[in-house]
Amino acid sequence: MKNELKGSTAVSAAKKTAAAETPVEKTVSAKQDKKTVKAAEVKTAEKEVKAAKTAEKEVKEVKPAKPAAKAPAKKAAVKETIYLQYLGKEIDKEDLMKQVKEIWTKEQKRKVSDMKSVSLYLKPEENAAYYVINEEVSGKIDL
């Protein structure tokens, strides 16, 4: 009887092993398929990341040019010259301004950059020009 039991145990063990192998093999192949799918997904994801990095580098390298700041249209500087002609004399505005600046720097002991405004009043009948600097200093220049 022991032999019968041993034989039946061996047969049932063999059946269990055979039955066990089939689901395990299926599970293993399913896991391998999942691994293959996951590996393919990982490779695809890696390719996408590489493509994104490459595109990002290209964007950084290309850097769009800054739009040129629109400079206000520069008007051509018009050179102004004013002459006062009276009784055979010719008086130039620029000569008068040079004299006013000399008075400001030498007599007043100030810097030309401190001049904010200058007003000139020409009185040919008195043969004089009057000036007012920064609305505080005034004087007379003989023509």
Side-chain angles (χ1 to χ4, degrees):
M1 197 156 150
K2 285 184 182 179
N3 285 339
E4 283 180 24
L5 285 177
K6 282 185 183 178
S8 69
T9 307
V11 170
S12 49
K15 284 182 181 177
K16 286 181 184 177
T17 306
E21 285 180 9
T22 307
V24 170
E25 287 176 1
K26 287 181 182 177
T27 305
V28 170
S29 66
K31 285 182 181 178
Q32 287 175 343
D33 287 342
K34 286 182 182 178
K35 286 182 182 178
T36 306
V37 170
K38 284 184 181 179
E41 289 175 357
V42 169
K43 286 182 182 180
T44 304
E46 287 174 350
K47 286 181 182 178
E48 289 175 1
V49 169
K50 285 181 183 179
K53 285 182 180 179
T54 304
E56 185 177 320
K57 284 180 184 177
E58 289 174 1
V59 168
K60 285 181 182 178
E61 290 173 2
V62 171
K63 287 185 184 177
K66 292 182 181 177
K70 292 184 180 179
K74 292 184 180 181
K75 294 181 181 178
V78 177
K79 183 177 178 182
E80 296 176 359
T81 306
I82 299 174
Y83 296 102
L84 174 65
Q85 294 179 337
Y86 182 75
L87 297 174
K89 291 184 181 179
E90 187 173 273
I91 302 161
D92 183 10
K93 172 190 118 181
E94 294 191 17
D95 289 337
L96 291 173
M97 285 302 296
K98 285 180 188 175
Q99 290 178 19
V100 170
K101 287 179 183 178
E102 281 183 29
I103 293 168
W104 181 254
T105 55
K106 293 182 179 173
E107 292 179 18
Q108 299 291 321
K109 308 267 190 231
R110 298 186 187 187
K111 296 178 183 177
V112 174
S113 60
D114 293 337
M115 293 177 79
K116 304 297 180 204
S117 66
V118 177
S119 298
L120 285 173
Y121 301 92
L122 301 175
K123 293 193 91 180
E125 67 274 6
E126 292 181 17
N127 202 27
Y130 296 92
Y131 61 87
V132 178
I133 303 170
N134 295 344
E135 297 181 13
E136 57 186 56
V137 177
S138 60
K140 175 183 171 185
I141 300 172
D142 291 324
L143 303 176

